[in-house]
PDB file of all heavy atoms in Angstrom:
ATOM      1  N   ARG B  59      -3.852 -27.437   2.016  1.00  0.00           N
ATOM      2  CA  ARG B  59      -4.373 -28.732   2.488  1.00  0.00           C
ATOM      3  C   ARG B  59      -3.542 -29.889   1.938  1.00  0.00           C
ATOM      4  O   ARG B  59      -3.243 -30.840   2.653  1.00  0.00           O
ATOM      5  CB  ARG B  59      -5.841 -28.876   2.096  1.00  0.00           C
ATOM      6  CG  ARG B  59      -6.755 -27.991   2.937  1.00  0.00           C
ATOM      7  CD  ARG B  59      -8.219 -28.198   2.622  1.00  0.00           C
ATOM      8  NE  ARG B  59      -8.609 -27.663   1.324  1.00  0.00           N
ATOM      9  CZ  ARG B  59      -8.842 -26.388   1.061  1.00  0.00           C
ATOM     10  NH1 ARG B  59      -8.723 -25.492   2.028  1.00  0.00           N
ATOM     11  NH2 ARG B  59      -9.197 -25.996  -0.136  1.00  0.00           N
ATOM     12  N   TRP B  60      -3.172 -29.798   0.672  1.00  0.00           N
ATOM     13  CA  TRP B  60      -2.443 -30.888   0.024  1.00  0.00           C
ATOM     14  C   TRP B  60      -1.064 -31.095   0.645  1.00  0.00           C
ATOM     15  O   TRP B  60      -0.626 -32.214   0.883  1.00  0.00           O
ATOM     16  CB  TRP B  60      -2.340 -30.582  -1.467  1.00  0.00           C
ATOM     17  CG  TRP B  60      -1.653 -31.654  -2.275  1.00  0.00           C
ATOM     18  CD1 TRP B  60      -1.946 -32.987  -2.292  1.00  0.00           C
ATOM     19  CD2 TRP B  60      -0.561 -31.471  -3.172  1.00  0.00           C
ATOM     20  NE1 TRP B  60      -1.110 -33.644  -3.157  1.00  0.00           N
ATOM     21  CE2 TRP B  60      -0.250 -32.736  -3.717  1.00  0.00           C
ATOM     22  CE3 TRP B  60       0.160 -30.366  -3.582  1.00  0.00           C
ATOM     23  CZ2 TRP B  60       0.770 -32.918  -4.637  1.00  0.00           C
ATOM     24  CZ3 TRP B  60       1.165 -30.551  -4.502  1.00  0.00           C
ATOM     25  CH2 TRP B  60       1.472 -31.815  -5.017  1.00  0.00           C
ATOM     26  N   LEU B  61      -0.354 -29.984   0.904  1.00  0.00           N
ATOM     27  CA  LEU B  61       0.998 -30.081   1.475  1.00  0.00           C
ATOM     28  C   LEU B  61       1.009 -29.966   2.998  1.00  0.00           C
ATOM     29  O   LEU B  61       2.075 -29.938   3.604  1.00  0.00           O
ATOM     30  CB  LEU B  61       1.899 -28.983   0.883  1.00  0.00           C
ATOM     31  CG  LEU B  61       2.171 -29.037  -0.616  1.00  0.00           C
ATOM     32  CD1 LEU B  61       3.028 -27.852  -1.048  1.00  0.00           C
ATOM     33  CD2 LEU B  61       2.847 -30.350  -0.999  1.00  0.00           C
ATOM     34  N   ASP B  62      -0.173 -29.886   3.599  1.00  0.00           N
ATOM     35  CA  ASP B  62      -0.309 -29.698   5.040  1.00  0.00           C
ATOM     36  C   ASP B  62       0.506 -28.474   5.492  1.00  0.00           C
ATOM     37  O   ASP B  62       1.312 -28.543   6.405  1.00  0.00           O
ATOM     38  CB  ASP B  62       0.128 -30.950   5.797  1.00  0.00           C
ATOM     39  CG  ASP B  62      -0.295 -30.894   7.256  1.00  0.00           C
ATOM     40  OD1 ASP B  62      -1.307 -30.219   7.573  1.00  0.00           O
ATOM     41  OD2 ASP B  62       0.406 -31.495   8.101  1.00  0.00           O
ATOM     42  N   GLN B  63       0.275 -27.349   4.789  1.00  0.00           N
ATOM     43  CA  GLN B  63       1.001 -26.110   5.084  1.00  0.00           C
ATOM     44  C   GLN B  63       0.055 -25.016   5.583  1.00  0.00           C
ATOM     45  O   GLN B  63       0.252 -23.848   5.309  1.00  0.00           O
ATOM     46  CB  GLN B  63       1.761 -25.622   3.853  1.00  0.00           C
ATOM     47  CG  GLN B  63       2.928 -26.499   3.479  1.00  0.00           C
ATOM     48  CD  GLN B  63       3.789 -25.885   2.382  1.00  0.00           C
ATOM     49  OE1 GLN B  63       3.395 -24.973   1.680  1.00  0.00           O
ATOM     50  NE2 GLN B  63       4.993 -26.422   2.239  1.00  0.00           N
ATOM     51  N   MET B  64      -0.959 -25.420   6.339  1.00  0.00           N
ATOM     52  CA  MET B  64      -1.852 -24.416   6.922  1.00  0.00           C
ATOM     53  C   MET B  64      -1.111 -23.725   8.062  1.00  0.00           C
ATOM     54  O   MET B  64      -0.361 -24.369   8.795  1.00  0.00           O
ATOM     55  CB  MET B  64      -3.139 -25.079   7.403  1.00  0.00           C
ATOM     56  CG  MET B  64      -4.004 -25.536   6.237  1.00  0.00           C
ATOM     57  SD  MET B  64      -5.362 -26.570   6.724  1.00  0.00           S
ATOM     58  CE  MET B  64      -4.611 -28.178   6.697  1.00  0.00           C
ATOM     59  N   SER B  65      -1.307 -22.413   8.173  1.00  0.00           N
ATOM     60  CA  SER B  65      -0.596 -21.661   9.196  1.00  0.00           C
ATOM     61  C   SER B  65      -1.459 -20.513   9.697  1.00  0.00           C
ATOM     62  O   SER B  65      -2.427 -20.122   9.045  1.00  0.00           O
ATOM     63  CB  SER B  65       0.720 -21.100   8.630  1.00  0.00           C
ATOM     64  OG  SER B  65       0.452 -20.133   7.635  1.00  0.00           O
ATOM     65  N   ARG B  66      -1.082 -19.999  10.860  1.00  0.00           N
ATOM     66  CA  ARG B  66      -1.808 -18.848  11.413  1.00  0.00           C
ATOM     67  C   ARG B  66      -1.658 -17.630  10.500  1.00  0.00           C
ATOM     68  O   ARG B  66      -2.606 -16.888  10.287  1.00  0.00           O
ATOM     69  CB  ARG B  66      -1.296 -18.523  12.808  1.00  0.00           C
ATOM     70  CG  ARG B  66      -1.727 -19.537  13.837  1.00  0.00           C
ATOM     71  CD  ARG B  66      -1.342 -19.116  15.253  1.00  0.00           C
ATOM     72  NE  ARG B  66      -1.667 -20.184  16.172  1.00  0.00           N
ATOM     73  CZ  ARG B  66      -0.809 -21.125  16.571  1.00  0.00           C
ATOM     74  NH1 ARG B  66       0.433 -21.101  16.138  1.00  0.00           N
ATOM     75  NH2 ARG B  66      -1.187 -22.071  17.390  1.00  0.00           N
ATOM     76  N   LEU B  67      -0.456 -17.424   9.967  1.00  0.00           N
ATOM     77  CA  LEU B  67      -0.228 -16.305   9.056  1.00  0.00           C
ATOM     78  C   LEU B  67      -1.101 -16.448   7.813  1.00  0.00           C
ATOM     79  O   LEU B  67      -1.708 -15.481   7.360  1.00  0.00           O
ATOM     80  CB  LEU B  67       1.253 -16.219   8.657  1.00  0.00           C
ATOM     81  CG  LEU B  67       1.601 -15.101   7.679  1.00  0.00           C
ATOM     82  CD1 LEU B  67       1.286 -13.734   8.277  1.00  0.00           C
ATOM     83  CD2 LEU B  67       3.070 -15.193   7.280  1.00  0.00           C
ATOM     84  N   GLY B  68      -1.190 -17.652   7.278  1.00  0.00           N
ATOM     85  CA  GLY B  68      -2.034 -17.894   6.114  1.00  0.00           C
ATOM     86  C   GLY B  68      -3.495 -17.629   6.408  1.00  0.00           C
ATOM     87  O   GLY B  68      -4.223 -17.102   5.558  1.00  0.00           O
ATOM     88  N   ALA B  69      -3.925 -17.971   7.618  1.00  0.00           N
ATOM     89  CA  ALA B  69      -5.318 -17.732   8.007  1.00  0.00           C
ATOM     90  C   ALA B  69      -5.622 -16.239   8.076  1.00  0.00           C
ATOM     91  O   ALA B  69      -6.779 -15.834   7.961  1.00  0.00           O
ATOM     92  CB  ALA B  69      -5.608 -18.394   9.346  1.00  0.00           C
ATOM     93  N   LEU B  70      -4.602 -15.402   8.263  1.00  0.00           N
ATOM     94  CA  LEU B  70      -4.782 -13.949   8.258  1.00  0.00           C
ATOM     95  C   LEU B  70      -4.567 -13.357   6.860  1.00  0.00           C
ATOM     96  O   LEU B  70      -5.312 -12.479   6.433  1.00  0.00           O
ATOM     97  CB  LEU B  70      -3.816 -13.286   9.243  1.00  0.00           C
ATOM     98  CG  LEU B  70      -4.021 -13.604  10.720  1.00  0.00           C
ATOM     99  CD1 LEU B  70      -2.886 -13.021  11.552  1.00  0.00           C
ATOM    100  CD2 LEU B  70      -5.352 -13.072  11.203  1.00  0.00           C
ATOM    101  N   LEU B  71      -3.528 -13.849   6.160  1.00  0.00           N
ATOM    102  CA  LEU B  71      -3.183 -13.294   4.843  1.00  0.00           C
ATOM    103  C   LEU B  71      -4.269 -13.539   3.800  1.00  0.00           C
ATOM    104  O   LEU B  71      -4.607 -12.630   3.033  1.00  0.00           O
ATOM    105  CB  LEU B  71      -1.880 -13.917   4.327  1.00  0.00           C
ATOM    106  CG  LEU B  71      -0.574 -13.318   4.771  1.00  0.00           C
ATOM    107  CD1 LEU B  71       0.596 -14.104   4.175  1.00  0.00           C
ATOM    108  CD2 LEU B  71      -0.462 -11.863   4.388  1.00  0.00           C
ATOM    109  N   ASP B  72      -4.797 -14.748   3.761  1.00  0.00           N
ATOM    110  CA  ASP B  72      -5.742 -15.107   2.711  1.00  0.00           C
ATOM    111  C   ASP B  72      -7.005 -14.234   2.749  1.00  0.00           C
ATOM    112  O   ASP B  72      -7.339 -13.604   1.742  1.00  0.00           O
ATOM    113  CB  ASP B  72      -6.088 -16.597   2.807  1.00  0.00           C
ATOM    114  CG  ASP B  72      -6.969 -17.049   1.665  1.00  0.00           C
ATOM    115  OD1 ASP B  72      -6.617 -16.780   0.501  1.00  0.00           O
ATOM    116  OD2 ASP B  72      -8.015 -17.661   1.934  1.00  0.00           O
ATOM    117  N   PRO B  73      -7.703 -14.135   3.888  1.00  0.00           N
ATOM    118  CA  PRO B  73      -8.887 -13.257   3.884  1.00  0.00           C
ATOM    119  C   PRO B  73      -8.523 -11.778   3.736  1.00  0.00           C
ATOM    120  O   PRO B  73      -9.297 -11.006   3.167  1.00  0.00           O
ATOM    121  CB  PRO B  73      -9.570 -13.536   5.226  1.00  0.00           C
ATOM    122  CG  PRO B  73      -8.603 -14.271   6.052  1.00  0.00           C
ATOM    123  CD  PRO B  73      -7.597 -14.887   5.134  1.00  0.00           C
ATOM    124  N   ALA B  74      -7.326 -11.384   4.215  1.00  0.00           N
ATOM    125  CA  ALA B  74      -6.908  -9.982   4.047  1.00  0.00           C
ATOM    126  C   ALA B  74      -6.735  -9.662   2.564  1.00  0.00           C
ATOM    127  O   ALA B  74      -7.159  -8.600   2.097  1.00  0.00           O
ATOM    128  CB  ALA B  74      -5.611  -9.717   4.811  1.00  0.00           C
ATOM    129  N   ALA B  75      -6.121 -10.576   1.817  1.00  0.00           N
ATOM    130  CA  ALA B  75      -5.944 -10.364   0.379  1.00  0.00           C
ATOM    131  C   ALA B  75      -7.301 -10.308  -0.321  1.00  0.00           C
ATOM    132  O   ALA B  75      -7.529  -9.452  -1.177  1.00  0.00           O
ATOM    133  CB  ALA B  75      -5.079 -11.476  -0.220  1.00  0.00           C
ATOM    134  N   ASP B  76      -8.208 -11.199   0.059  1.00  0.00           N
ATOM    135  CA  ASP B  76      -9.550 -11.194  -0.534  1.00  0.00           C
ATOM    136  C   ASP B  76     -10.250  -9.863  -0.287  1.00  0.00           C
ATOM    137  O   ASP B  76     -10.812  -9.256  -1.195  1.00  0.00           O
ATOM    138  CB  ASP B  76     -10.412 -12.324   0.052  1.00  0.00           C
ATOM    139  CG  ASP B  76      -9.936 -13.706  -0.377  1.00  0.00           C
ATOM    140  OD1 ASP B  76      -9.161 -13.800  -1.350  1.00  0.00           O
ATOM    141  OD2 ASP B  76     -10.351 -14.683   0.264  1.00  0.00           O
ATOM    142  N   ARG B  77     -10.211  -9.409   0.960  1.00  0.00           N
ATOM    143  CA  ARG B  77     -10.898  -8.158   1.304  1.00  0.00           C
ATOM    144  C   ARG B  77     -10.268  -6.959   0.591  1.00  0.00           C
ATOM    145  O   ARG B  77     -10.968  -6.047   0.167  1.00  0.00           O
ATOM    146  CB  ARG B  77     -10.882  -7.957   2.810  1.00  0.00           C
ATOM    147  CG  ARG B  77     -11.843  -8.877   3.517  1.00  0.00           C
ATOM    148  CD  ARG B  77     -11.958  -8.556   4.992  1.00  0.00           C
ATOM    149  NE  ARG B  77     -12.924  -9.431   5.596  1.00  0.00           N
ATOM    150  CZ  ARG B  77     -12.630 -10.546   6.242  1.00  0.00           C
ATOM    151  NH1 ARG B  77     -11.371 -10.913   6.366  1.00  0.00           N
ATOM    152  NH2 ARG B  77     -13.570 -11.295   6.764  1.00  0.00           N
ATOM    153  N   LEU B  78      -8.945  -6.972   0.489  1.00  0.00           N
ATOM    154  CA  LEU B  78      -8.267  -5.868  -0.179  1.00  0.00           C
ATOM    155  C   LEU B  78      -8.626  -5.823  -1.667  1.00  0.00           C
ATOM    156  O   LEU B  78      -8.852  -4.752  -2.215  1.00  0.00           O
ATOM    157  CB  LEU B  78      -6.756  -5.980   0.015  1.00  0.00           C
ATOM    158  CG  LEU B  78      -5.937  -4.755  -0.344  1.00  0.00           C
ATOM    159  CD1 LEU B  78      -6.422  -3.521   0.388  1.00  0.00           C
ATOM    160  CD2 LEU B  78      -4.471  -4.998  -0.036  1.00  0.00           C
TER     161      LEU B  78
END
Side-chain angles (χ1 to χ4, degrees):
R59 287 184 289 281
W60 182 52
L61 296 178
D62 193 27
Q63 290 188 343
M64 289 169 272
S65 66
R66 288 187 185 94
L67 179 61
L70 295 173
L71 275 179
D72 185 51
D76 291 343
R77 286 187 178 97
L78 193 55

